[in-house]
Amino acid sequence: MKVTQVRVEAHPLTLTRPIGDANDPVGQWHQRQLVIALDTDEGLVGYAVAVPGCLGVLPVFADVVIGKDPAGVRGLWEAMVGRAFKAGVNGMTRVAIAALDVALWDLKAQANSEPLWRTLGATASSVPVYASGIEMPLGDAELVEYYRRQSTHGISFGKIKVGRDREDDLRRLRLAAQALAESGKPVRLAVDANEYWSAKTAIPWVRALEQEHPLVWVEEPCPRRDVRALARVSAGVDAAVAAGENLNLVDEFLPLLLGGAVDVVQVGIQTTGISGALRVAETAAGFGLPVATVNCPGHVIAHLAAVLPNHLALEVLDAGEDALLEVDHTLGDGHLKLGSRPGHGVRPRAGLPVTDVLPRTGAAVLPGRGPGAGLLPPGFTPRSRTTGRITDHTTGCITDHTRD
């Protein structure tokens, strides 16, 4: 089986309520979802959902996968990351790579006639979850209603956005705990400051919150790459420090891991896809650290969570973000239960109107990192330039996604 073309469609989405954090307390109601489809010569289609902003770089990485067998998804992921070497795997580049990686895994599992969690090697399809509201724009009554609704799914673990007003945070933490207690289970809480604090601000603030309710973790209390600040917070509060949702490859996580700056490692689709998240999760396991998975459209990352022995909980959001999708999972007893549909089970809804078909435009080819870079000791001479094929990328250009 080979990928024959990459198709894209963008669709507007209005959420059922605004979502926002300390950086955006008013919140956002509207999104545009980019549906990416990988067609194959055997009629199977792999899907992923991303943000339309990645379209500008998508052709660069689509060129890597077109004409290739999805069975080699991890090798194709390596090739895409290698192509991004000069520019770096950041911003919309990582979004594009992640989306293509997810769609390739979808195809690989479909070709195996099994759900993705089984292709990844999991023996069970049930994943523990925690309720995340991204709820800073909500009033008290709305906040209570949200977490009370999550408690009806047996969820007793919730995460609250904090960071702008300590008294508000204490009150909202109390209200969320009361609502989640209706699950009939012991309540666990985490908080998320979305990089809003310095260490000097974070430590007394978190200590005050811990007086109200013990915290499983405080998420991104300081900027994502500030190893010293995150390590200070970890040493200064009882809660674990969770970080990583905005980092990409293993090399970005290593300073935090080596510096004792993270206690719970976060991975998600944005960790450069399922392949990238798997690599980071395995690295975290080598440091003896647990992993928490980050919410994404259709909870696709749950398939990876199911196979991780060091997995704590999957973030689930309920704000109408999956209104355009058909999913193959259910929530109950504090877990997400993945289905048995081949692939990852997330598809655009049947009959979804095409409001904006984005053109498959050309893009310059990036040369990527040279073969063997970083692998060979100094002074080692690889095969002769006269016997190996050398490709001149200086004038290369993708003119169309489709190949014969």
Side-chain angles (χ1 to χ4, degrees):
M1 179 170 63
K2 292 182 179 180
V3 176
T4 56
Q5 68 174 359
V6 177
R7 294 180 288 113
V8 293
E9 294 176 359
H11 302 277
L13 172 65
T14 299
L15 301 175
T16 55
R17 61 171 179 82
I19 58 175
D21 56 30
N23 300 293
D24 182 19
V26 174
Q28 303 293 324
W29 282 86
H30 305 287
Q31 298 179 355
R32 291 177 75 225
Q33 289 186 337
L34 185 70
V35 176
I36 299 172
L38 270 58
D39 294 329
T40 67
D41 56 0
E42 295 186 9
L44 297 179
V45 182
Y47 287 100
V49 179
V51 294
C54 75
L55 184 70
V57 294
L58 190 63
V60 174
F61 303 103
D63 185 59
V64 174
V65 305
I66 293 173
K68 303 300 193 304
D69 187 344
V73 54
R74 293 196 74 174
L76 293 172
W77 179 87
E78 293 283 0
M80 288 190 286
V81 169
R83 179 160 286 191
F85 170 65
K86 285 292 186 182
V89 182
N90 295 290
M92 289 299 108
T93 292
R94 78 165 178 171
V95 173
I97 293 174
L100 291 168
D101 181 76
V102 168
L104 288 167
W105 276 107
D106 189 22
L107 285 171
K108 183 180 177 77
Q110 288 183 62
N112 292 346
S113 300
E114 61 186 7
L116 179 53
W117 58 267
R118 191 171 294 282
T119 292
L120 287 166
T123 56
S125 62
S126 183
V127 177
V129 303
Y130 72 92
S132 175
I134 316 183
E135 76 304 315
M136 190 162 279
L138 302 185
D140 288 356
E142 296 170 305
L143 180 144
V144 168
E145 191 278 331
Y146 177 78
Y147 286 103
R148 182 174 288 153
R149 188 166 70 249
Q150 304 316 302
S151 75
T152 65
H153 299 298
I155 299 174
S156 60
F157 184 2
K159 186 175 76 179
I160 313 299
K161 295 294 186 182
V162 297
R164 296 181 67 93
D165 185 294
R166 191 180 302 184
E167 292 306 313
D168 280 352
D169 292 347
L170 285 165
R171 185 186 70 257
R172 294 167 72 253
L173 199 68
R174 188 178 308 121
L175 292 172
Q178 293 169 354
L180 289 167
E182 296 188 19
S183 66
K185 303 176 183 178
V187 172
R188 294 184 296 159
L189 291 176
V191 296
D192 186 358
N194 291 97
E195 309 179 62
Y196 199 69
W197 296 322
S198 66
K200 199 169 186 67
T201 300
I203 292 171
W205 200 304
V206 174
R207 283 176 175 169
L209 297 180
E210 289 178 322
Q211 293 300 309
E212 177 63 40
H213 197 287
L215 299 176
V216 179
W217 72 65
V218 52
E219 186 170 323
E220 292 188 321
C222 304
R224 68 196 73 169
R225 294 181 177 86
D226 194 335
V227 174
R228 292 180 62 190
L230 291 169
R232 283 181 62 192
V233 175
S234 179
V237 303
D238 292 333
V241 165
E245 73 171 6
N246 289 304
L247 301 179
N248 303 319
L249 305 178
V250 168
D251 60 355
E252 291 193 4
F253 283 82
L254 282 177
L256 272 64
L257 296 169
L258 293 169
V262 59
D263 306 300
V264 177
V265 177
Q266 295 177 293
V267 301
I269 293 304
Q270 57 267 55
T271 316
T272 328
I274 290 172
S275 297
L278 176 58
R279 177 167 291 187
V280 171
E282 290 173 337
T283 302
F287 280 81
L289 294 176
V291 163
T293 41
V294 182
N295 84 85
C296 65
H299 301 311
V300 170
I301 197 64
H303 290 272
L304 175 63
V307 79
L308 299 178
N310 55 333
H311 183 252
L312 280 180
L314 164 74
E315 179 181 29
V316 294
L317 173 66
D318 178 13
E321 70 283 0
D322 288 343
L324 306 182
L325 305 174
E326 295 177 356
V327 299
D328 187 29
H329 63 246
T330 56
L331 274 176
D333 195 27
H335 286 70
L336 184 142
K337 170 74 173 179
L338 291 160
S340 58
R341 184 185 302 164
H344 58 48
V346 177
R347 299 285 181 270
R349 286 198 177 277
L352 192 65
V354 178
T355 58
D356 185 10
V357 179
L358 299 176
R360 292 171 286 171
T361 57
V365 176
L366 301 178
R369 198 174 192 189
L375 298 177
L376 304 175
F380 182 88
T381 303
R383 64 182 181 178
S384 168
R385 289 172 61 106
T386 59
T387 59
R389 188 176 67 177
I390 300 174
T391 303
D392 182 0
H393 292 290
T394 57
T395 59
C397 181
I398 304 173
T399 56
D400 188 9
H401 283 267
T402 305
R403 292 181 177 175
D404 294 329

